[in-house]
Amino acid sequence: ANETYPHQQWALGDIPQWSASQPYDLVFSNAAYQWVPDHARIMPHLLRQVASGGVFAFQVPANINAPSHELMRSTASSEKWRSHFPEKIREWHAHDPAFYYDALVDEASHLDLWTTEYQHILAGPEVIIEWYKGTGLRPFLDHLPGESSRKEFLSDYLVEIEKAFPLRKDGRVLFPFQRLFVVAIRK
């Protein structure tokens, strides 16, 4: 970012501990807050880092109960894999629109909240696996003891994904993905 936009101010930090040295006009995040716990505390704190009349805007996945996630959990809880997952895997920290409304309404003069479901057209079910290897599957894969068990888990998951997301007549799959958007204007 510094190389591409050298005249902008960039800061690297840990979201739960971050505080602005002075209020910003905009605090924005695209698909990061789902990895951060305690949204009831963090979201109002982040809104307070915005100047009066400024905007706090973010987007998080809103598909924790989608078939792709249900299949992660069912694969992990199958007889073959359950010994590797003795406790519930911590997945994303994301809530419904009402949660964010309640968390932010005291500090906001205006709130917009909406969900959008994108229909991603993917080359095949394997692409869904690749998509999630860097996101939703990470907590599951990190729990497994080695690369061979990770590959085997992904192979078993792929079998289930292929059933849930059939090939269309052109050989592609439709992959619905819901996201929640929140835009809060600070009082």
Side-chain angles (χ1 to χ4, degrees), residues 16-182:
Q17 282 77 44
W18 179 75
S19 290
S21 57
Q22 62 185 29
Y24 284 87
D25 293 329
L26 172 67
V27 172
F28 169 79
S29 172
N30 181 39
Y33 295 147
Q34 73 270 17
W35 299 112
V36 178
D38 197 9
H39 286 197
R41 181 185 66 80
I42 295 215
M43 295 310 178
H45 168 75
L46 292 172
L47 179 54
R48 287 189 295 272
Q49 306 313 300
V50 175
S52 179
V55 175
F56 173 45
F58 65 93
Q59 169 282 115
V60 291
N63 67 337
I64 196 69
N65 294 316
S68 52
H69 284 275
E70 294 289 345
L71 293 171
M72 286 177 211
R73 292 188 285 275
S74 66
T75 301
S77 66
S78 70
E79 186 175 333
K80 178 178 179 179
W81 292 104
R82 75 175 62 126
S83 66
H84 293 282
F85 304 99
E87 52 198 51
K88 187 178 188 305
I89 295 295
R90 182 205 57 83
E91 295 180 71
W92 292 342
H93 302 279
H95 304 278
D96 64 13
F99 173 92
Y100 294 107
Y101 182 87
D102 289 343
L104 297 169
V105 70
D106 292 341
E107 304 276 345
S109 65
H110 182 80
L111 280 164
D112 283 320
L113 306 97
W114 71 95
T115 56
T116 298
E117 184 171 275
Y118 296 92
Q119 292 292 328
H120 296 284
I121 302 169
L122 303 177
E126 320 69 40
V127 179
I128 296 171
I129 305 295
E130 287 303 313
W131 176 298
Y132 277 123
K133 277 170 56 177
T135 59
L137 279 166
R138 282 180 50 203
F140 293 92
L141 298 176
D142 289 348
H143 241 72
L144 295 171
E147 190 57 34
S148 64
S149 63
R150 289 181 193 103
K151 284 182 181 179
E152 191 173 347
F153 182 85
L154 291 173
S155 177
D156 292 352
Y157 179 58
L158 177 60
V159 168
E160 301 305 317
I161 287 291
E162 288 172 334
K163 293 176 198 171
F165 298 93
L167 295 177
R168 310 313 309 163
K169 67 182 184 178
D170 65 354
R172 296 179 185 188
V173 295
L174 293 177
F175 180 56
F177 197 98
Q178 193 173 67
R179 296 187 182 275
L180 169 66
F181 296 84
V182 177

